Amino acid sequence: MISRDRIYGSFIGNETVLEGTENTLTSPADGSAIARVFFATNELARTAIDAAYDAQDPWSKTSLKQRKALLGKLADILQERSEEYAMLETMNTGKTIRQSTFMDIPLAIEHLRYFANEHEFRVKRRISHPEFPGTMGEIQYAPMGVVGAIVPWNVPLLMTVWKVAPALLAGNTLVVKPSSYTPLTALELSKDAARAGFPQGVLNVVPGKGRELGAALTSSRKVNMISFTGSTETGQEIMRESSASIKKVTLELGGKSPNIVFEDCDLEHAVSGVLFGIFLNSGQLCESGSRLLIQRSIRDRFVSRLKERLSLMKAGNPSDFETDVSAITNREQKNRIERMVEEGIRSGAEVEYSKNMSDSPSGGLYYPPTLLSSVTPDMVVGKEEIFGPVLSIMEFSDEEEAIRMANSSRYGLAAGVWSRDRVKCHRVASKLQSGTVWINEYHLLSAAAPRGGFKDSGIGRELGLEGILEYTQTRHIFINAGESDLDEAAYGLIFSGEK
Ligand code: NAD
């Protein structure tokens, strides 16, 4: 059982360091104190970078088989402790215990196992050079080196696993900076990695504020890559800051994802999918389907079913298994949701439905699941990411207009298409500027499928083989085995006369 007064600090070189500034974390569910955390100083972050730097060369020399075995052991430990992890994630984020227990933690374990068993990634492969018979090439996938992994607060453990597992598999070492709001499960993960047998310095975690610790990671010449998940604005800052040392940067950023519902959909299925798309984790998911694009002919019927179904969702304490609605993870985010919705209303949007939240504990951070109608694509609520339980409803007449509206966003992370006409679904999906498109589905993700954004939603991919390759740099070795007469042709370019 994790005690509520547990004290956390940075995890560096397989040891907990209780240094830095002490902070008390409170529960978004009811405001009670849940843990004390020492936020790392810049100096501690540099110590973590040094530890990762020193560990990198020996770690890169271990075999893929050894690294996979350790990832598998880590998955086993998480499995044994899955209830504790779920409780801790719910306590720290305010998400419902059902979601932690049946989604966040099992997915983190499954995805660790995916990388432990992944069989497509090879550290090298052979090629031939068609222009140069008699030669051959070896392509090596070398690790990047030290990776700085910066993680947001909405799905803390899973987002950490998405970076840590492929980076370690490819032979990198890491310094992870979880969000200052939700560092607990990433810190537990690093301790469990040490228990599993990962050598010291391979996985380090420094909790603290991004603005303060971010610079230590982005400016260090010992860090070769930043893998960032968070808002588009912070992503831009990180890209700027990383440019001085020419770091590789991957960015998983925000979204304003459309759920496109055609009149020929299976209505009840689409209603469930649209509600799931926006209200899972109270809309605090990057790919949340926050724009409902609904075909005008079924708009009224569809929206009235949304309201009926929404009224059945249960508010309450997120740690109660009966509760359906997650809290908002931090006060800044709640204020931001309130501000954006107020601005939307000022610009002409109407509150079509707002759920009664009187069953939620007092002292907690809650925002009622909300449907906004009369939204247009140029309104703040029609184009910017709210990152909360707010669905903006817009209407379209035909397929062409639906695609145009969907693609009018500066974001391109995810989309849903709902229709019984499979050919139409596929045609529409192929025209969407979006890293992921679900057809008659939403949110389901596979560790084998790369995910990431088009446009302002990011650069690079996580998960799948593509996700592993992000953590590598390619070395080409050109081998002239002495069996060709290329030299004469090539060197003749600068030696025209006698040798
Ligand atoms: P955020 O950008 O405020 O913070 C993300 C992380 O960056 C945190 O750890 C924060 O401390 C750190 N940070 C902040 N400023 C920094 C700086 N200058 N240098 C280095 N690090 C810094 O985002 P958030 O509010 O924690 O998370 C919500 C956002 O994340 C949403 O926009 C959401 O869409 C996005 N997100 C994207 C994905 C994806 O896969 N595309 C997944 C989850 C969340």
Side-chain angles (χ1 to χ4, degrees):
M1 188 71 176
I2 291 166
S3 76
R4 280 189 164 242
D5 58 359
R6 194 166 258 201
I7 303 174
Y8 290 85
S10 299
F11 195 74
I12 301 173
N14 281 2
E15 278 178 26
T16 295
V17 185
L18 296 180
E19 285 172 28
T21 350
E22 197 179 329
N23 285 267
T24 300
L25 297 187
T26 53
S27 155
D30 59 13
S32 62
I34 54 167
R36 287 193 290 148
V37 182
F38 284 86
F39 284 179
T41 55
N42 263 318
E43 202 184 330
L44 261 188
R46 281 193 291 273
T47 307
I49 294 169
D50 288 344
Y53 186 79
D54 293 342
Q56 205 273 320
D57 184 53
W59 176 247
S60 70
K61 290 181 175 140
T62 57
S63 67
L64 261 185
K65 197 173 160 198
Q66 282 171 290
R67 294 180 220 152
K68 286 181 175 182
L70 287 174
L71 287 171
K73 269 195 201 158
L74 181 56
D76 292 343
I77 297 176
L78 258 66
Q79 184 77 60
E80 281 162 27
R81 297 189 57 211
S82 59
E83 275 183 38
E84 278 176 278
Y85 268 98
M87 202 184 72
L88 199 58
E89 201 74 310
T90 282
M91 207 188 261
N92 200 178
T93 61
K95 68 180 66 201
T96 64
I97 188 71
R98 273 213 330 284
Q99 190 193 318
S100 295
T101 305
F102 300 117
M103 186 186 109
D104 290 40
I105 308 306
L107 277 187
I109 297 167
E110 262 178 54
H111 291 185
L112 268 173
R113 289 205 200 288
Y114 167 82
F115 289 106
N117 298 315
E118 208 278 340
H119 57 271
E120 279 183 273
F121 175 59
R122 301 264 182 284
V123 289
K124 58 187 175 195
R125 71 185 168 96
R126 280 291 165 96
I127 59 163
S128 58
H129 307 117
E131 312 84 339
F132 306 116
T135 70
M136 62 187 180
E138 184 175 282
I139 307 295
Q140 297 180 348
Y141 297 98
M144 291 300 301
V146 175
V147 174
I150 303 177
V151 183
W153 46 258
N154 58 336
V155 197
L157 182 68
L158 187 61
M159 299 281 133
T160 306
V161 163
W162 283 2
K163 298 184 185 311
V164 166
L168 290 177
L169 180 65
N172 302 276
T173 55
L174 294 109
V175 177
V176 177
K177 198 212 77 63
S179 166
S180 53
Y181 297 114
T182 56
L184 302 188
T185 45
L187 285 165
E188 289 292 334
L189 180 79
S190 60
K191 290 191 260 177
D192 282 338
R195 278 180 207 122
F198 281 91
Q200 60 179 37
V202 166
L203 176 58
N204 310 278
V205 179
V206 286
K209 299 230 186 253
R211 248 167 224 298
E212 287 146 34
L213 291 185
L217 291 174
T218 49
S219 65
S220 170
R221 293 220 161 244
K222 289 184 175 172
V223 175
N224 310 87
M225 171 178 175
I226 298 286
S227 171
F228 172 77
T229 300
S231 63
T232 298
E233 293 63 34
T234 310
Q236 288 169 321
E237 214 172 308
I238 282 175
M239 214 171 170
R240 267 195 303 275
E241 287 167 6
S242 299
S243 69
S245 51
I246 316 289
K247 284 189 199 346
K248 176 167 182 180
V249 177
T250 56
L251 303 172
E252 296 286 330
L253 308 175
K256 186 76 180 173
S257 300
N259 235 331
I260 306 170
V261 180
F262 287 100
E263 60 191 1
D264 55 359
C265 67
D266 172 339
L267 195 122
E268 282 308 310
H269 185 204
V271 165
S272 300
V274 165
L275 292 172
F276 182 58
I278 182 63
F279 296 119
L280 180 68
N281 212 43
S282 276
Q284 301 164 106
L285 293 171
C286 53
E287 81 272 9
S288 289
S290 52
R291 286 187 290 157
L292 167 61
L293 306 186
I294 178 89
Q295 195 151 20
R296 199 160 275 120
S297 51
I298 58 163
R299 189 260 179 217
D300 290 347
R301 201 152 50 100
F302 196 86
V303 172
S304 87
R305 273 307 280 151
L306 284 180
K307 290 195 238 179
E308 282 163 15
R309 293 282 303 281
L310 246 183
S311 69
L312 300 176
M313 280 176 71
K314 291 198 190 84
N317 192 321
S319 58
D320 181 344
F321 267 87
E322 299 296 305
T323 300
D324 296 325
V325 182
S326 293
I328 305 304
T329 300
N330 57 76
R331 182 160 303 282
E332 287 70 21
Q333 186 56 27
K334 186 174 177 234
N335 293 344
R336 185 183 139 91
I337 300 168
E338 283 167 355
R339 267 198 319 272
M340 289 183 83
V341 172
E342 278 161 20
E343 192 172 336
I345 292 167
R346 268 199 306 279
S347 59
E350 288 168 40
V351 177
E352 178 89 36
Y353 183 86
S354 172
K355 190 165 177 59
N356 180 338
M357 294 292 286
S358 56
D359 288 343
S360 307
S362 59
L365 302 170
Y366 297 94
Y367 193 88
T370 301
L371 304 179
L372 289 182
S373 56
S374 306
V375 176
T376 55
D378 57 325
M379 290 179 187
V380 161
V381 290
K383 64 181 181 185
E384 293 304 334
E385 183 181 48
I386 299 177
F387 215 59
V390 181
L391 181 65
S392 297
I393 304 171
M394 290 174 261
E395 293 154 39
F396 65 87
S397 309
D398 56 21
E399 188 177 319
E400 206 181 303
E401 193 185 9
I403 295 168
R404 202 171 49 244
M405 283 171 81
N407 287 342
S408 68
S409 169
R410 71 177 174 121
Y411 297 109
L413 192 58
V417 183
W418 300 84
S419 160
R420 284 196 172 94
D421 179 344
R422 286 197 200 170
V423 176
K424 176 163 75 182
C425 283
H426 199 264
R427 185 171 62 232
V428 171
S430 304
K431 289 180 185 165
L432 295 178
Q433 294 160 357
S434 177
T436 298
V437 183
W438 286 281
I439 292 178
N440 295 321
E441 198 47 84
Y442 211 85
H443 279 316
L444 298 195
L445 49 93
S446 161
R451 69 192 295 285
F454 282 28
K455 303 192 280 188
D456 287 5
S457 289
I459 303 173
R461 291 293 178 267
E462 286 195 305
L463 302 179
L465 179 61
E466 288 86 345
I468 302 171
L469 292 176
E470 294 285 4
Y471 292 97
T472 66
Q473 44 196 338
T474 310
R475 182 187 291 119
H476 171 214
I477 301 181
F478 189 112
I479 305 159
N480 184 345
E483 291 156 15
S484 76
D485 54 3
L486 287 169
D487 290 1
E488 216 136 290
Y491 302 156
L493 291 173
I494 63 159
F495 296 118
S496 55
E498 295 277 310
K499 270 190 204 163

